[in-house]
Amino acid sequence: GPRLKAQAVYLNQYQLLPWARTCEAFGDLYNHQPTESFLQECLQSCHDQIMPSLEEIKKLLKTEKVAHFDETGIRVLGKLHWVHVASTSGLTYYDVHERRGQMGMRDIGILPEFTGRAIHDHFKSYRQFQNCLHGFCNAHHLRELQFMTEQYQQSWAIQMSQLLLDIKTAVARAPADNRSLSPSRCKQFTASYNKILAEGFAFNPVPEKTGKKGRPKQTPPKNLLDRLEKHQQQVLAFMYDFRIPFT
């Protein structure tokens, strides 16, 4: 019946039991062990029934003002593939593709038609989509800044972390009907942001040329400083528009 088939899908897809162990669990629970073809039939039936809902979710995500995008590795038949996700607080769409970057994102088909604000981890492939605005996840920045503090003894990184958290607190305490921080507060925070960057650049000058071809290799702290300077609007987007989250 449908409830037994639902249990099979639940154990395999949500609890992540392998096919053989899912069938074994049925044998232990019900004293009857089905074949893996039974599980395949259950999964196919579930897939067919949810496809209309998935297509509707995909359609709605394209029209959202703000959406989150990410990707992570997964093994498919022993080979590395990528799970791509697009989500809001009420909508989530997953898809699997053999490519992590722009090709996979284009084939999935959400980002090419998305015109809102895409929140992501500054992965270069996301920034190739010029039809939408972008915002960077500050949870990633806090982790990187902590790494710079611990591994490279970068004092400016501590200051930048605290500044980002101070702005986050100011946003949380702002009146509910506000759409952004006041121009004076934004100016104040931006000045502090640029001052910290200046201290960081002074501590991490441009590497001297070594005589080899190409640009000298930069240190991770210098790379992070360059990103925080070049993409300041994306880092601080949550300060200017309260619809945009901190992370």
Side-chain angles (χ1 to χ4, degrees):
R3 284 198 284 185
L4 199 69
K5 291 180 179 179
Q7 287 180 40
V9 175
Y10 168 77
L11 291 173
N12 177 251
Q13 293 294 303
Y14 185 78
Q15 296 296 348
L16 303 179
L17 289 183
W19 285 40
R21 287 190 60 192
T22 300
C23 295
E24 181 182 345
F26 271 88
D28 293 339
L29 293 171
Y30 301 116
N31 199 31
H32 180 81
Q33 182 167 324
T35 63
E36 292 186 8
S37 61
F38 163 77
L39 178 56
Q40 183 176 6
E41 177 187 333
C42 296
L43 295 174
Q44 186 64 52
S45 175
C46 180
H47 173 270
D48 294 341
Q49 292 181 63
I50 66 175
M51 278 306 296
S53 297
L54 292 179
E55 289 302 318
E56 186 65 20
I57 289 172
K58 189 174 181 179
K59 177 181 176 182
L60 290 171
L61 280 168
K62 296 176 184 178
T63 66
E64 289 289 320
K65 298 295 185 182
V66 179
H68 305 265
F69 296 87
D70 204 359
E71 77 293 326
T72 189
I74 189 175
R75 290 283 173 179
V76 177
L77 299 177
K79 295 183 179 180
L80 179 63
H81 283 57
W82 298 89
V83 176
H84 293 258
V85 60
S87 67
T88 65
S89 59
L91 300 167
T92 301
Y93 184 87
Y94 294 104
D95 210 334
V96 178
H97 199 279
E98 60 184 6
R99 304 296 289 271
R100 179 190 181 192
Q102 191 176 165
M103 181 182 295
M105 297 170 187
R106 290 194 180 281
D107 286 348
I108 291 168
I110 295 178
L111 270 169
E113 300 180 35
F114 181 71
T115 57
R117 172 85 65 166
I119 309 298
H120 50 80
D121 60 1
H122 63 75
F123 181 36
K124 185 177 180 180
S125 294
Y126 291 120
R127 305 201 304 270
Q128 304 307 308
F129 294 91
Q130 302 300 317
N131 46 287
C132 62
L133 298 173
H134 296 270
F136 290 173
C137 171
N138 282 299
H140 283 78
H141 291 140
L142 292 178
R143 288 200 295 268
E144 288 187 81
L145 290 166
Q146 182 177 355
F147 178 77
M148 300 307 164
T149 301
E150 295 175 352
Q151 298 296 320
Y152 294 91
Q153 291 73 53
Q154 302 277 316
S155 58
W156 66 270
I158 300 175
Q159 299 175 53
M160 183 62 78
S161 293
Q162 189 58 56
L163 177 63
L164 291 174
L165 292 173
D166 288 346
I167 301 174
K168 180 177 182 291
T169 299
V171 170
R173 292 177 177 175
D177 57 347
N178 283 15
R179 296 184 177 181
S180 68
L181 293 181
S182 65
S184 61
R185 293 299 302 278
C186 289
K187 185 177 180 180
Q188 176 188 354
F189 282 131
T190 300
S192 298
Y193 186 95
N194 289 328
K195 181 181 178 181
I196 294 171
L197 286 180
E199 293 178 10
F201 282 121
F203 197 72
N204 299 274
V206 177
E208 296 182 1
K209 292 186 177 181
T210 61
K212 297 181 180 180
K213 292 183 178 180
R215 294 188 304 173
K217 184 177 180 180
Q218 296 195 144
T219 62
K222 179 63 166 57
N223 289 333
L224 178 57
L225 283 161
D226 288 344
R227 187 203 316 148
L228 293 174
E229 180 185 50
K230 181 179 180 180
H231 299 287
Q232 180 179 140
Q233 291 298 315
Q234 288 77 24
V235 176
L236 299 179
F238 72 100
M239 179 174 75
Y240 299 105
D241 185 348
F242 287 176
R243 294 175 302 176
I244 301 169
F246 180 76
T247 68

